[in-house]
Amino acid sequence: MSQHTCTVSWERAATQAFVDHRYSRAHRWQFDGGASVAASSSPHVVPLPFSDPAAVDPEEAFVAALSSCHMLWFLDFAARAGHLVNNYRDAAVGVMGRNSQGYLAVTQVTLRPHVHFAPGRGPDAQAHEALHHRAHEACFIANSVK
């Protein structure tokens, strides 16, 4: 099995009292391969100016992880089947709501992939749907959530 790491770093500015809850939620995600990502709470959860709307928030990252995992499996299965994918775009959407225990949660993620194949090198509609179904079943992230 594999292990995946990320270092999350935040530091209070000297001018912020902190205990009054008026502090920046901006922070950094540093990944083992060297990527560094600006992160923050969502402005939908913590109002401006205490959130950074330009940064990635955990809810967005969750949606992106599901979409990315699905895409990677889809591309793998399409390549194995001999289909030639020219591009793949997913405008995924996550919805916050109350779960069955009454806690706020990302209760629904809808993937909306649009795949373009090279002319004459793509599956028919039924096989295309089957590729997405296989990708969903294989996705590590999808298998990790309810």
Side-chain angles (χ1 to χ4, degrees):
M1 289 291 142
S2 59
Q3 184 175 350
H4 307 274
T5 63
C6 175
T7 300
V8 177
S9 302
W10 172 88
E11 187 171 325
R12 180 181 63 83
T15 59
Q16 297 173 336
F18 184 74
V19 295
D20 63 359
H21 294 278
R22 299 179 59 77
Y23 58 92
S24 173
R25 274 44 168 214
H27 55 282
R28 290 225 71 63
W29 295 342
Q30 185 74 37
F31 295 94
D32 56 1
S36 181
V37 176
S40 177
S41 55
S42 169
H44 298 288
V45 177
V46 178
L48 300 174
F50 307 111
S51 290
D52 179 358
V56 177
D57 63 61
E59 298 82 5
E60 291 171 325
F62 179 72
V63 172
L66 282 164
S67 176
S68 182
C69 186
H70 181 90
M71 178 198 70
L72 293 168
W73 279 109
F74 180 91
L75 295 175
D76 180 66
F77 292 139
R80 289 183 199 196
H83 303 301
L84 184 57
V85 177
N86 281 343
N87 62 64
Y88 182 111
R89 179 180 169 88
D90 184 3
V93 176
V95 177
M96 288 279 284
R98 299 270 176 198
N99 65 14
S100 60
Q101 292 81 32
Y103 295 114
L104 276 177
V106 178
T107 57
Q108 181 179 0
V109 174
T110 303
L111 304 183
R112 300 181 298 182
H114 294 279
V115 184
H116 294 276
F117 297 90
R121 296 292 306 272
D124 63 24
Q126 185 177 6
H128 188 173
E129 182 68 27
L131 288 169
H132 282 294
H133 182 73
R134 285 183 64 202
H136 177 71
E137 288 180 337
C139 176
F140 310 136
I141 306 301
N143 290 329
S144 300
V145 298
K146 293 180 182 180

